Amino acid sequence: SIAVLPLFRGDGNGSVLLREVSNNYRSHGFQHVMLHCKTDNPAQMLYFREGYRVTAYLKNYYRPEGDGLEMRITL
């Protein structure tokens, strides 16, 4: 899991974290990175901007809170 404290959101810190994750996986020979998030997670916009795309809708993934999304990026 990664997270950015509310005080530091909106300054590009989430993008930096996601790129570091991608760079780390790429350097180890991986071809994709996948993540899961709640369907109402505002960070989805960040994930889309960074190139992630929805690959699956996960019904009841976050029980009892609700559904989730599987998102993936090709490195």
Side-chain angles (χ1 to χ4, degrees), residues 1-72:
S1 293
I2 62 169
V4 176
L5 292 170
L7 178 64
F8 300 103
R9 291 180 187 158
D11 294 330
N13 294 306
S15 292
V16 170
L17 285 172
L18 286 176
R19 289 181 196 142
E20 284 298 315
V21 168
S22 293
N23 290 339
N24 183 33
Y25 277 88
R26 187 180 298 110
S27 73
H28 286 88
F30 289 87
Q31 297 178 355
H32 301 86
V33 175
M34 184 174 60
L35 63 82
H36 295 130
C37 68
K38 292 182 179 178
T39 56
D40 62 352
N41 186 338
Q44 285 181 53
M45 295 306 295
L46 166 65
Y47 305 147
F48 281 116
R49 276 197 314 269
E50 292 301 317
Y52 285 81
R53 296 297 177 257
V54 175
T55 54
Y57 186 87
L58 308 170
K59 187 77 175 158
N60 296 317
Y61 187 77
Y62 294 98
R63 285 180 216 201
E65 294 90 13
D67 302 335
L69 297 175
E70 177 182 283
M71 300 180 79
R72 178 174 158 164

